[in-house]
């Protein structure tokens, strides 16, 4: 469901240099930071997706569910960037 507040949040994050998950998938073997809107709340984390099994995408709240999965149910805008110090 479209939420104007989420759209504004996404626009602000993109202006700050974050990458839209719906347009570009994060790398699997580099450490990333992410923010994800799920059930009306913003969840943030730092992870290396390659450390997890692809089946973790089916576990609500898991890193892979929040940022790695292509289209998880109930997850809204998602952004990511390379984690500081991982370059």
């Amino acid at each position: 469901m479209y939420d104007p507040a989420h759209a504004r949040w996404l626009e602000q994050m993109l202006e700050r240099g974050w990458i839209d998950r719906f347009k570009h998938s994060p790398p699997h073997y580099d450490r990333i930071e992410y923010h994800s809107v799920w059930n009306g709340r913003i969840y943030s984390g730092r992870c290396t997706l390659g450390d997890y099994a692809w089946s973790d995408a089916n576990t609500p709240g898991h890193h892979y569910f929040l940022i790695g999965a292509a289209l998880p149910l109930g997850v809204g805008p998602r952004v990511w960037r390379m984690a500081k110090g991982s370059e």
Side-chain angles (χ1 to χ4, degrees), residues 33-76:
E33 300 174 328
Y34 70 88
H35 300 297
S36 182
V37 176
W38 179 45
N39 291 335
R41 292 184 170 182
I42 297 175
Y43 291 82
S44 300
R46 184 176 293 155
C47 68
T48 302
L49 292 174
D51 291 346
Y52 306 105
W54 65 268
S55 59
D56 291 330
N58 298 321
T59 306
H62 192 280
H63 290 299
Y64 215 106
F65 176 84
L66 292 170
I67 195 66
L71 292 171
L73 294 176
V75 177

Side-chain angles (χ1 to χ4, degrees), residues 15-43:
E15 287 173 358
R16 293 179 186 151
W18 289 78
I19 300 165
D20 187 347
R21 167 59 178 96
F22 290 116
K23 294 183 180 176
H24 302 283
S25 296
H28 277 261
Y29 298 103
D30 293 316
R31 195 151 178 82
I32 63 165
E33 300 174 328
Y34 70 88
H35 300 297
S36 182
V37 176
W38 179 45
N39 291 335
R41 292 184 170 182
I42 297 175
Y43 291 82

